[in-house]
């Protein structure tokens, strides 16, 4: 009984030592697993990434299992080893995606020669050219696309026009705005016309494209302004008072000659008058959707209609 009692008194101590040993073992295992995971992710002290067909490497720091609390100096050493490996492999460039939560890594990358390519939402993309000579990496998107809709009532020869509330000059123009990402220009034209005027319409053709560089409304970048021809489906005006000062159905002949308009609006008004007189086939760039060869998706091609050839 004494031996049993002694053993019983020892058991809590033994259990504590066993529990402590297990906890230590778990901590050691976790550290080894983390190092093993880092090794698997990084190879021989190198970051992993996807190699593109041009020989560049894209590394997304938010997807490769980096510790969320990695220090700037630790990342710098990891990046240095990666660059040595990529240069030895003859890689052409590195694209480094840095989530905002790891923005300190951007500072470390800058010390190795990386520069900002672009930033979007919650991440920035940095690049480093590893090839010979000057960098041949493409610049980020440098244009914004504005789309306007010329809604023509063919029965009356009138077109829908607005005067912007935020402009210094109250000039007549076609309703329109910036195209959203991934939005076709015809969809933009129809959407913007309805949002500004309350008039519903449908896309018919592309009429003109204006290109302007160093545009003040495009952060000093370039601007593409596209005007589409639309056919009205409704006629009642209910314009947006936050954006528009006035909105009317105006005779095309008057719009083409008035001084209260912009040069491009007057020019397109004359183009539309020509279309009314000769037929819109003489001015329209119609749209055809064609499957893309490489991506498996579709694109929109705008061109003058081809003549119909009848087979004998």
């Amino acid at each position: 009984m004494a031996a049993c009692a002694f053993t019983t008194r020892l058991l809590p101590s033994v259990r504590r030592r066993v529990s402590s040993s297990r906890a230590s073992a778990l901590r050691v295992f976790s550290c080894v697993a983390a190092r093993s995971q880092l090794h698997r992710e990084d190879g021989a002290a190198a970051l992993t990434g996807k190699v593109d067909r041009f020989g560049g490497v894209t590394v997304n720091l938010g997807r490769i299992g980096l510790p969320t609390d990695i220090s700037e100096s630790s990342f710098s050493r990891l990046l240095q080893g990666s660059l040595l490996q990529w240069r030895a492999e003859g890689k052409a460039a590195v694209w480094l995606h840095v989530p905002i939560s790891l923005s300190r890594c951007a500072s470390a990358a800058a010390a190795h020669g990386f520069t900002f390519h672009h930033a979007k939402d919650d991440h920035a993309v940095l690049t480093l050219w590893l090839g010979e000579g000057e960098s041949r990496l493409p610049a980020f998107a440098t244009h914004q696309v504005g789309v306007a809709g010329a809604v023509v009532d063919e029965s009356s020869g009138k077109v829908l026009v607005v005067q912007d509330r935020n402009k210094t000059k109250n000039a007549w123009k076609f309703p329109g705005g910036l195209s959203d990402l991934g939005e076709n220009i015809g969809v933009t034209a129809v959407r913007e016309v309805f949002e500004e005027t309350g008039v519903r319409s449908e896309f018919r053709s592309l009429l003109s494209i204006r290109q302007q560089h160093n545009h003040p409304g495009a952060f000093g970048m370039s601007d593409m302004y596209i005007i589409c021809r639309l056919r009205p489906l409704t006629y009642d005006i209910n314009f947006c008072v936050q954006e528009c000062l006035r909105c009317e159905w105006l005779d095309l002949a008057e719009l083409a000659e008035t001084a209260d308009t912009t040069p491009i609006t007057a020019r397109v008004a004359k183009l539309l008058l020509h279309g009314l007189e000769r037929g819109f086939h003489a001015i329209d760039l119609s749209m055809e959707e064609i499957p893309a060869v490489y991506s498996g998706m579709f694109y929109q091609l705008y061109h003058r209609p081809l003549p119909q050839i009848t087979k004998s």
Side-chain angles (χ1 to χ4, degrees), residues 21-38:
S21 297
R22 285 177 178 171
S24 298
L26 284 172
R27 284 195 296 272
V28 171
F29 176 78
S30 297
C31 291
V32 170
R35 286 196 297 270
S36 177
Q37 176 69 14
L38 187 62

Side-chain angles (χ1 to χ4, degrees), residues 152-223:
V152 180
D153 180 6
E154 297 180 44
S155 62
S156 66
K158 292 187 176 184
V159 65
L160 188 65
V161 288
V162 298
Q163 289 183 359
D164 281 345
R165 180 170 291 277
N166 343 337
K167 298 292 185 181
T168 55
K169 179 183 177 182
N170 296 329
W172 289 117
K173 60 182 284 292
F174 302 120
L178 291 179
S179 187
D180 292 336
L181 291 175
E183 185 176 53
N184 290 340
I185 58 175
V187 175
T188 303
V190 169
R191 174 180 59 77
E192 285 288 343
V193 165
F194 177 71
E195 290 175 358
E196 290 191 11
T197 71
V199 173
R200 296 189 179 277
S201 59
E202 65 178 6
F203 174 83
R204 301 303 295 169
S205 72
L206 179 69
L207 291 172
S208 69
I209 301 174
R210 182 214 66 195
Q211 184 178 30
Q212 182 176 348
H213 302 295
N214 299 315
H215 193 283
F219 309 101
M221 305 303 283
S222 299
D223 177 83

Side-chain angles (χ1 to χ4, degrees), residues 147 183-189 203-209 226-229 284-290 299-305:
V147 184
E183 185 176 53
N184 290 340
I185 58 175
V187 175
T188 303
F203 174 83
R204 301 303 295 169
S205 72
L206 179 69
L207 291 172
S208 69
I209 301 174
I226 298 171
I227 299 179
C228 301
R229 182 172 72 86
D284 281 346
L285 296 177
S286 58
M287 185 273 286
E288 183 179 359
E289 195 167 68
I290 298 175
Y299 60 83
Q300 292 74 44
L301 183 65
Y302 299 85
H303 59 81
R304 290 285 298 275

Side-chain angles (χ1 to χ4, degrees), residues 248-302:
E248 293 182 15
W249 289 98
L250 202 65
D251 284 328
L252 272 170
E254 181 181 348
L255 183 62
E257 299 301 332
T258 181
D260 297 328
T261 189
T262 64
I264 188 171
T265 305
R267 178 67 61 88
V268 172
K270 293 175 182 177
L271 185 68
L272 289 168
L273 280 173
H274 181 71
L276 281 175
E277 295 169 359
R278 302 290 182 89
F280 285 115
H281 66 276
I283 65 169
D284 281 346
L285 296 177
S286 58
M287 185 273 286
E288 183 179 359
E289 195 167 68
I290 298 175
V293 175
Y294 300 107
S295 64
M297 297 184 293
F298 289 83
Y299 60 83
Q300 292 74 44
L301 183 65
Y302 299 85

Side-chain angles (χ1 to χ4, degrees), residues 1-184:
M1 290 293 292
C4 290
F6 178 73
T7 303
T8 302
R9 286 196 300 272
L10 284 178
L11 282 176
S13 175
V14 172
R15 283 198 296 270
R16 282 195 297 273
R17 286 198 299 273
V18 171
S19 177
S20 176
S21 297
R22 285 177 178 171
S24 298
L26 284 172
R27 284 195 296 272
V28 171
F29 176 78
S30 297
C31 291
V32 170
R35 286 196 297 270
S36 177
Q37 176 69 14
L38 187 62
H39 179 75
R40 287 196 301 271
E41 294 286 357
D42 303 328
L47 301 164
T48 57
K50 295 182 178 179
V51 179
D52 59 40
R53 61 193 180 99
F54 302 104
V57 181
T58 298
V59 180
N60 191 324
L61 299 186
R63 297 180 181 175
I64 62 173
L66 280 182
T68 55
D69 60 348
I70 189 170
S71 67
E72 184 178 326
S73 58
S74 296
F75 177 74
S76 180
R77 290 191 295 271
L78 185 60
L79 182 59
Q80 184 177 20
S82 305
L83 291 171
L84 288 173
Q85 178 176 317
W86 291 327
R87 284 191 170 99
E89 293 172 350
K91 296 295 187 289
V94 183
W95 300 84
L96 191 66
H97 291 247
V98 182
I100 197 169
S101 59
L102 292 172
S103 56
R104 58 190 173 278
C105 295
S107 179
H112 290 281
F114 280 80
T115 57
F116 282 113
H117 187 265
H118 67 275
K120 187 178 178 183
D121 298 330
D122 60 351
H123 74 280
V125 177
L126 285 74
T127 59
L128 178 64
W129 176 251
L130 302 179
E132 296 180 358
E134 295 185 1
S135 173
R136 297 197 299 274
L137 294 177
F140 192 55
T142 56
H143 288 66
Q144 70 177 14
V145 179
V147 184
V151 188
V152 180
D153 180 6
E154 297 180 44
S155 62
S156 66
K158 292 187 176 184
V159 65
L160 188 65
V161 288
V162 298
Q163 289 183 359
D164 281 345
R165 180 170 291 277
N166 343 337
K167 298 292 185 181
T168 55
K169 179 183 177 182
N170 296 329
W172 289 117
K173 60 182 284 292
F174 302 120
L178 291 179
S179 187
D180 292 336
L181 291 175
E183 185 176 53
N184 290 340

